[in-house]
Structures are given as structure tokens and as C-alpha cells.
């Protein structure tokens, strides 16, 4: 038998499906949903406890951009490397704060030092963007900042060729404290690097030292600098041009002298050092807005970068020396066409020859269908950290990051983020406050635009920061959603007809090993609710309960809106909860958690997106038996639905309307079967 012939296109289809991205259509056909798999609700939540509140600050000059009107534009937290325990927080509006026991103290006014040229009034990243302390700060007093300048600052020469039409400069400064242990800065400063940017966005983002580099190693003391494309990537190939620093990660020696100005050095081990026509400062290239990067100290010192996309893709990359992330030819694992900013396109069959590096994890924007494609969709990744602390063992080995705009918090498993392999699944973390109440970061920040960032201390413990209210929270613990002790009361052996009370008995069959809804139900007077169901009368009513069963949809699979329901908290024909298990997830009544409370059924689950008219992934799509678990925690109101033994819930909701009731099974206008029903919980006596 001859071996099968695999075309390159066929191989690409297999690889892209494995990567969790849309399989390629024709090369000139837009990809309508680049990453069909939405972030998975993990069922794991982190507990945030307020740690500090920073002083209110204002932009320079006063801004007219509502996105910049924040309480304090704090964007990072780290720990001073001097064993003092002091944490540092920069504010884009100009000041550097040190935190001692959660109390902020102004350490340095960067904005005031460079006034009147200091500029933070336009551009989401303009101002005092970042600070990096030299690993030897405790004895040499050195640290580095990056800030934005306008005005007369634009007359100063740049170290590398500026972008055409320069409107702002990004400046890296070295500071030397005369007393590193002092509570406020006193000392000297000098300019290290100055770049000229076309726009007031996508400038210099993070600067940092590799904390895993040991003293004496070639990596020790080298400063990494993420440089955005200055807003030019949508119209030019500049991020692909190795002759410019824009759209790159640079690696420089801030104490060296062999750079063009003599104020910094170019490491001999950089990948493009000595290459004709290339800037030796470049470590990696092909980037739009490289936001935040960090190293995983426990797994080969891998460097992870959160990269903010243009049209649709927010991505995490594992970055190595010489990598080309593809922008502006690629956005994530898709073709970006500069003549069509409204769409992404499939990779070409010969993509391998270009040598692009693709994400190890990503999510897409999922903007409404009628959303203008040239507008900001309100999504941007905030790169995070692989958690290697000890206070929250449930997070160990997880790369925790966020969408900085809406404040949704995600994680991926670091062990699954591997180059050249399928992208790691993205899971969404739930958020709990100090008292254990489930909240959102928007509620904690008091604003729908959260402007969320992450920081980490020397022990690897995580912190979250919001510009909206200038607060810092520490991640102090983790909780599993709907993890209540349901109770020890049990009901089993439930399949007999005598144990059930159907709405319409003639529509049901009880063969002894199953409960079968054999005929479709019909709409009944009263509020909109499931048409036909049977209530289990055996055993007591339950408050908290765990319901385990196997279910099957008996309506033919070609009918897309088929469903069955698991009833719980049943008190009467117009008072109960139900989990709707459907093949369809595109309309309000399907595939969700609902409450009937003397009114039309109300959808409760977190997964429903009314803008996109889309819910959780379809629960059941075939004619097979499936294991279903519904957990209801009466005290907290938490409800979780699991299918086929998944560790992650398919649907989640919180509601305390009905604290107890009975269990049932049914459908709207379909047929189905149930067997092996077991209930474990807290009986109401």
C-alpha cells in the first residue's frame, strides 16, 4: 500500500486546528472568528485584598482624553532589590512611589525633573512609563526610568534615527542615588537612550533586567527595552526593518560605551551584532505594542511577552534571541493586510519559509458584528507572570495575565505554552474580595475601564493595580467556585416510576434503568418556562446539593436546537432553577442556567454574551450518553454545571433566590433520557 500524500496545505489545516485557531479558508478569504474557543471558565478564583492606595495625579498638560482621566496612572509594582522589603510603583503622570507596609511615599518626581518637556497628556503610554532597578542597587544606587518628552525636548538629538513626523521622544535615564537606603532620592542622573516616535502611542513600554541572570554571567546587567512601532505598523513594514529600533525588543548594556552615542553599550552576544544593515541593539523584532514581559525562573528562564494586537489578536509569546513575531505582516498566527484593516487572513501555504514566531497563547476581541473595524474595540493584553510564589499554591506554574481594559483575569499553564505546539488553553479566573464574596475587578476599581496591571514582589507573590482608582491589591488566596460541602444526605436508586411526578405522565416512560421523556412537551399557560419535566419525589428537598446523572438527547442530531434540562431548587411549577443543556448556544433560551420565579425564565449564567448572542460551548452535540454534574451551594448562591468529568465548569452562576427544593429532569419541546441519578446534599428537614 502506498503512503498517503500530505500536501503542505493539509498539514497547515491540521496544525491550525490543533492550535485552536480557525482553519484556513482560501488565502483571500477573511477569517471571521480567528480564535473560536473563548477563554474557558476555570472555576478557580483568586482572592484580592486591598494593599495600598496611591495619591491622585494629573496629566501634563491637562488631558481631553477620557481614557487618561484616571485617579492615578499606576502601571506596575516591583520590589527594590536591596532586601529592605520596599516595593515601588511608578505613576505615568510623573512620580515614583515606594511602599512601606502598604503606605506610599514619594521617592522621585520624574515629571518635575524634566519639566517643562515632560509629557503625559496624550497617548495611553505617555509619561513616566517604567522603572527598573539595577540588580546591584543596594550598593551602587543605580536605577533606570523611561519617560516621554515633547516641546523643546524634540530639539535634542536622538541616539538612533527617529521616525518620520516625530511628535514625542522616549527617553531612558540612569539615576544614581547617593544613599540607596534613603527614603527619598538624592543623587545624579544621566541620559542613556533617546528615540523619536511618530505618534504618542506604542512608544517605549517596559525596561527591565533579567532577574534570573546570575552575577558574572553574560546576561547579568543587560537592560531589555520593549519599543513599540510608534503607530506606523499599520501603514509600513518598519517593524520588519532591522535597520530601525521600532517594533523591537532591544537589549543594551547601560554601563557600556560602544553604542552610537557612547552612553550605552551593544552586547556582543546580541543576535544581530555585526550584521550589515542591522541594529546591534535588537534582541527580537516584528512587534506592534510589546506591553509587558517577564521570565519564568523555574522552567529554563523562559521569557514571556504580552503583545497588544491591532485588529483582533491579544497574544503571549515565548521570546528568544533573534525571533521575528511577524508584525506588520502577521497578527498572531494570521496574515495582516495593510490595505484591509477590517480583516485577518489565513497563512499562506509556504508560510514556513518566512520563519515567523507565533504565539504560545492568545485570545481574540470578539467585537460585535456591526462594530467599526477602525475603532478601538476596548481590548488589550496586559502581560503577567508565571506564579512561583508560595502563598497561593493553586496558582503555581500558571502564567497569570489580564485584559487591561475590562479587567478580566486569565491564566495559562506554563507547561503547555510551548513554541511550535498547539496554543495553550486560556482560562478565566474568578475574582473574590477579602470577605470571600465573588466580585469583578470593575467593581473593585469602581469603573468599567479597569486599566488593570500586575506586579510581583521578590518572593514571587502577585499584586494587581488599577489606574481607575489608584489602588493596589495583593493576591492572598484562591477559591474553587461552588466548592461548598454539599452535605452527606444521599438519594439513589431513583429510576422507578413511583419516584417521579411528571407534568404530563403520558409523555414519560420508566423502563427501570432510566427516566425517558418520550414525547415532546407543549407550551403551557403562565410564565415562559420548560414545557415538560418530571420532579423527583423520592427523598427530601435539598438546600446545597450535588446532582450527578447521565443524560442523552434523543431528538435527532440534525435538529440544532434540541435540549434537555436538569431541574433543581424546585418549589412549584413557577419556582425553580434549571440547567439547559443544548446543542445550540446562539440564542437567549439555550445552553445556560435559568431561574423561573413567578415570571418568565431569567438567564443567570456568566457565559452569556448578549452583544454577540453567544453562550457557553454547546453542552451536547451528539446522540451519546453524557455525564452531567450540577452543584448548587445554597449559602453562597453559586451554581456550576460540569459535563463529562471536566475539571472546568461549562456554566457558572450566582443567585440566592431559591435556597432549597427538589430535583427534576425534562425539556422544552424535545425528548431525552436520564439514568444513574444520584443526589448528595443537605436535606431540608
Amino acid at each position: 500500500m502506498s503512503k498517503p500524500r500530505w500536501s503542505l496545505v493539509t498539514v497547515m489545516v491540521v496544525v491550525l486546528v490543533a492550535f485552536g485557531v480557525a482553519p484556513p479558508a482560501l488565502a483571500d478569504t477573511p477569517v471571521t472568528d480567528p480564535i473560536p474557543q473563548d477563554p474557558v471558565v476555570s472555576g478557580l478564583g483568586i482572592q484580592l485584598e486591598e494593599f495600598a492606595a496611591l495619591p491622585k495625579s494629573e496629566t501634563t498638560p491637562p488631558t481631553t482624553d477620557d481614557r487618561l482621566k484616571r485617579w492615578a496612572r499606576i502601571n506596575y509594582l516591583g520590589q527594590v532589590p536591596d532586601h529592605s522589603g520596599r516595593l515601588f510603583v511608578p505613576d505615568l503622570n510623573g512620580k515614583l512611589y515606594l511602599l512601606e507596609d502598604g503606605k506610599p511615599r514619594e521617592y522621585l518626581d520624574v515629571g518635575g525633573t524634566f519639566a517643562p518637556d515632560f509629557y503625559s497628556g496624550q497617548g495611553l503610554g505617555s509619561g513616566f512609563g517604567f522603572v527598573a532597578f539595577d540588580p546591584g542597587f543596594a550598593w551602587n544606587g543605580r536605577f533606570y526610568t523611561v519617560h516621554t518628552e515633547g516641546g523643546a525636548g524634540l530639539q535634542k538629538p536622538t541616539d538612533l534615527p527617529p521616525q518620520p513626523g516625530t511628535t514625542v521622544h522616549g527617553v531612558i535615564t540612569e539615576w544614581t542615588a547617593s544613599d540607596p537606603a534613603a527614603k527619598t532620592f538624592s543623587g545624579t542622573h544621566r541620559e542613556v537612550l533617546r528615540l523619536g516616535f511618530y505618534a504618542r502611542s506604542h512608544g517605549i513600554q517596559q525596561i527591565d533586567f533579567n532577574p534570573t541572570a546570575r552575577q558574572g554571567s553574560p546576561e547579568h546587567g543587560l537592560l531589555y527595552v520593549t519599543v513599540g512601532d510608534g503607530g506606523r505598523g499599520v501603514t509600513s513594514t518598519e517593524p520588519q526593518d532591522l535597520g530601525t529600533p521600532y517594533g523591537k525588543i532591544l537589549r543594551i548594556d547601560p554601563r557600556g560605551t560602544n553604542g552610537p552615542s557612547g552612553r550605552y553599550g551593544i552586547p556582543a552576544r546580541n543576535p544581530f551584532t555585526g550584521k550589515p544593515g542591522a541594529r546591534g541593539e535588537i534582541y527580537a523584532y516584528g512587534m506592534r505594542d510589546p506591553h509587558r514581559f517577564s521570565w519564568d525562573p523555574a522552567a529554563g528562564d523562559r521569557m514571556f511577552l504580552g503583545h497588544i494586537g491591532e485588529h483582533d489578536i491579544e497574544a503571549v509569546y515565548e521570546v528568544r534571541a533573534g525571533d521575528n513575531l511577524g508584525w506588520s505582516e502577521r497578527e498572531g498566527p494570521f496574515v495582516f493586510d495593510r490595505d484591509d484593516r477590517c480583516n485577518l487572513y489565513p497563512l499562506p501555504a509556504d508560510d514556513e519559509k518566512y520563519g515567523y514566531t507565533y504565539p504560545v497563547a492568545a485570545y481574540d476581541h470578539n467585537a460585535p458584528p456591526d462594530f467599526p473595524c477602525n475603532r478601538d474595540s476596548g481590548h488589550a493584553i496586559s502581560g503577567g507572570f508565571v506564579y512561583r510564589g508560595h502563598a497561593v499554591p493553586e496558582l503555581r506554574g500558571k502564567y497569570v495575565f489580564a485584559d487591561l481594559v475590562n479587567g478580566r483575569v486569565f491564566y495559562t499553564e506554563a507547561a503547555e505554552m510551548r513554541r511550535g505546539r498547539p496554543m495553550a488553553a486560556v482560562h478565566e479566573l474568578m475574582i473574590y474580595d477579602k470577605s470571600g464574596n465573588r466580585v469583578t475587578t470593575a467593581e473593585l476599581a469602581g469603573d468599567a475601564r479597569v486599566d488593570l496591571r500586575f506586579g510581583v514582589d521578590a518572593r514571587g507573590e502577585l499584586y494587581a493595580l488599577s489606574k481607575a482608582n489608584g489602588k493596589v491589591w495583593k493576591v492572598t488566596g484562591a477559591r474553587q467556585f461552588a466548592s461548598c460541602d454539599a452535605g452527606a444526605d444521599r438519594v439513589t436508586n431513583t429510576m422507578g416510576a413511583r419516584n417521579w411526578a411528571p407534568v404530563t405522565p403520558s409523555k414519560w416512560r420508566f423502563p427501570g434503568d432510566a427516566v425517558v421523556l418520550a414525547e415532546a412537551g407543549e407550551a403551557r399557560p403562565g410564565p415562559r418556562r420548560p414545557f415538560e419535566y418530571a420532579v423527583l419525589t423520592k427523598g427530601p428537598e435539598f438546600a446545597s446539593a450535588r446532582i450527578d446523572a447521565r443524560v442523552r438527547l434523543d431528538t435527532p442530531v440534525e435538529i440544532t436546537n434540541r435540549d434537555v434540562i436538569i431541574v433543581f431548587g424546585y418549589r412549584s411549577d413557577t419556582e425553580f432553577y434549571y440547567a439547559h443543556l443544548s446543542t445550540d448556544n446562539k440564542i437567549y433560551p439555550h445552553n445556560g442556567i435559568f431561574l423561573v420565579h413567578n415570571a418568565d425564565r431569567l438567564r443567570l449564567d456568566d457565559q452569556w454574551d448578549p452583544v454577540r448572542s453567544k453562550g457557553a460551548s454547546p453542552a451536547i452535540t451528539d446522540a451519546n450518553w453524557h455525564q452531567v454534574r450540577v452543584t448548587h451551594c445554597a449559602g453562597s448562591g453559586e451554581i456550576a454545571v460540569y459535563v463529562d468529568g471536566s475539571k472546568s465548569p461549562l456554566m457558572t452562576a450566582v443567585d440566592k433566590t431559591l435556597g432549597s427544593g427538589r430535583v427534576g429532569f425534562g425539556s422544552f419541546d424535545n425528548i431525552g433520557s436520564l439514568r444513574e441519578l444520584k443526589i448528595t446534599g443537605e436535606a431540608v428537614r
Side-chain angles (χ1 to χ4, degrees), residues 626-677:
H626 292 271
Q627 183 68 40
V628 175
R629 169 173 288 181
V630 177
T631 301
H632 177 211
C633 297
S636 65
E638 294 179 334
I639 303 166
V641 178
Y642 300 83
V643 177
D644 291 332
S646 172
K647 294 182 180 180
S648 298
L650 180 68
M651 309 168 197
T652 56
V654 178
D655 186 84
K656 295 184 178 182
T657 304
L658 304 175
S660 63
R662 292 192 172 275
V663 172
F665 172 72
S667 179
F668 271 82
D669 54 357
N670 288 278
I671 57 176
S673 303
L674 172 143
R675 68 185 186 190
E676 300 175 21
L677 173 65

Side-chain angles (χ1 to χ4, degrees), residues 10-301:
T10 303
V11 172
M12 285 180 57
V13 170
V14 173
V15 171
L16 285 173
V17 168
F19 265 65
V21 303
L26 297 175
D28 59 352
T29 302
V31 180
T32 56
D33 188 4
I35 304 179
Q37 175 61 61
D38 293 337
V40 177
V41 175
S42 67
L44 180 65
I46 54 174
Q47 190 165 335
L48 298 182
E49 184 173 339
E50 187 172 326
F51 180 77
L54 279 295
K56 186 175 178 59
S57 64
E58 303 290 343
T59 63
T60 303
T63 186
T64 58
D65 188 341
D66 289 339
R67 298 173 300 173
L68 274 65
K69 295 177 181 178
R70 310 272 75 189
W71 178 267
R73 296 174 65 210
I74 54 177
N75 64 1
Y76 190 73
L77 176 147
Q79 186 161 330
V80 179
D82 62 356
H83 305 291
S84 67
R86 295 182 295 176
L87 302 174
F88 62 84
V89 178
D91 184 326
L92 280 159
N93 288 335
K95 294 185 178 180
L96 173 61
Y97 296 94
L98 297 186
L99 303 181
E100 297 186 60
D101 298 323
K103 296 178 176 60
R105 176 191 294 271
E106 182 182 324
Y107 180 72
L108 171 65
D109 185 356
V110 174
T113 301
F114 297 107
D117 298 333
F118 178 82
Y119 189 90
S120 67
Q122 283 184 300
L124 294 174
S126 293
F128 167 32
F130 213 87
V131 58
F133 283 80
D134 186 287
F137 172 79
W139 59 87
N140 63 33
R142 288 195 295 268
F143 61 97
Y144 298 83
T145 63
V146 58
H147 73 276
T148 310
E149 288 190 7
L154 300 182
Q155 305 305 313
K156 298 178 181 178
T158 58
D159 293 277
L160 299 175
Q163 291 185 311
T166 293
T167 59
V168 291
H169 284 181
V171 185
I172 297 176
T173 303
E174 178 186 86
W175 307 76
T176 304
S178 54
D179 178 6
K183 294 183 179 297
T184 57
F185 176 80
S186 176
T188 60
H189 67 273
R190 71 176 183 90
E191 187 170 302
V192 174
L193 174 66
R194 179 178 290 261
L195 300 176
F197 291 91
Y198 163 75
R200 298 176 180 88
S201 60
H202 306 179
I204 300 177
Q205 287 279 17
Q206 182 176 351
I207 58 174
D208 222 339
F209 297 94
N210 183 348
T212 70
R214 297 181 179 275
Q215 190 169 2
S217 71
E219 175 84 347
H220 189 265
L222 301 184
L223 187 67
Y224 286 77
V225 181
T226 53
V227 182
D229 68 0
R232 282 176 50 83
V234 294
T235 59
S236 78
T237 60
E238 195 168 53
Q240 291 293 311
D241 183 357
L242 290 173
T244 77
Y246 306 101
K248 316 294 195 300
I249 294 177
L250 311 182
R251 184 171 66 175
I252 64 172
D253 179 358
R255 301 297 294 170
T257 59
N258 67 334
S261 64
R263 295 194 296 261
Y264 67 86
I266 299 174
R269 295 167 62 93
N270 275 7
F272 302 106
T273 299
K275 181 176 180 179
R279 307 293 332 178
E281 296 92 337
I282 296 173
Y283 179 78
Y285 66 112
M287 300 167 206
R288 176 182 180 270
D289 194 7
H291 182 253
R292 291 287 182 268
F293 59 90
S294 62
W295 287 265
D296 180 5
D301 300 337

Side-chain angles (χ1 to χ4, degrees), residues 196-436:
F197 291 91
Y198 163 75
R200 298 176 180 88
S201 60
H202 306 179
I204 300 177
Q205 287 279 17
Q206 182 176 351
I207 58 174
D208 222 339
F209 297 94
N210 183 348
T212 70
R214 297 181 179 275
Q215 190 169 2
S217 71
E219 175 84 347
H220 189 265
L222 301 184
L223 187 67
Y224 286 77
V225 181
T226 53
V227 182
D229 68 0
R232 282 176 50 83
V234 294
T235 59
S236 78
T237 60
E238 195 168 53
Q240 291 293 311
D241 183 357
L242 290 173
T244 77
Y246 306 101
K248 316 294 195 300
I249 294 177
L250 311 182
R251 184 171 66 175
I252 64 172
D253 179 358
R255 301 297 294 170
T257 59
N258 67 334
S261 64
R263 295 194 296 261
Y264 67 86
I266 299 174
R269 295 167 62 93
N270 275 7
F272 302 106
T273 299
K275 181 176 180 179
R279 307 293 332 178
E281 296 92 337
I282 296 173
Y283 179 78
Y285 66 112
M287 300 167 206
R288 176 182 180 270
D289 194 7
H291 182 253
R292 291 287 182 268
F293 59 90
S294 62
W295 287 265
D296 180 5
D301 300 337
R302 293 192 295 158
M303 179 183 186
F304 292 114
L305 169 72
H307 184 271
I308 298 175
E310 165 67 26
H311 174 69
D312 214 9
I313 306 298
E314 306 301 317
V316 180
Y317 291 84
E318 181 190 341
V319 181
R320 300 176 186 172
D323 279 350
N324 179 2
L325 276 55
W327 178 254
S328 56
E329 302 299 315
R330 301 287 184 270
E331 182 179 341
F334 298 94
V335 171
F336 179 79
D337 184 345
R338 286 182 296 278
D339 295 325
D340 179 7
R341 293 180 60 183
C342 292
N343 297 290
L344 296 177
Y345 292 84
L347 297 176
D350 61 349
D351 184 67
E352 185 177 350
K353 72 180 184 182
Y354 298 103
Y356 296 128
T357 297
Y358 290 126
V360 292
Y363 65 98
D364 60 5
H365 291 173
N366 292 322
D370 58 348
F371 195 86
C373 61
N374 59 351
R375 279 182 53 192
D376 182 354
S377 67
H379 296 278
I381 190 172
S382 178
F385 302 88
V386 177
Y387 182 78
R388 298 295 180 186
H390 298 281
V392 192
E394 296 88 343
L395 292 181
R396 284 191 63 81
K398 292 175 169 54
Y399 177 77
V400 181
F401 63 105
D403 188 296
L404 62 88
V405 181
N406 60 32
R408 295 171 69 190
V409 180
F410 307 110
Y411 78 81
T412 61
E413 297 289 351
E416 295 177 4
M417 294 197 297
R418 297 293 180 182
R419 293 160 57 111
R421 297 184 184 178
M423 287 196 295
V426 175
H427 304 262
E428 182 170 3
L429 286 164
M430 296 181 177
I431 308 297
Y432 292 88
D433 66 14
K434 178 182 178 181
S435 301

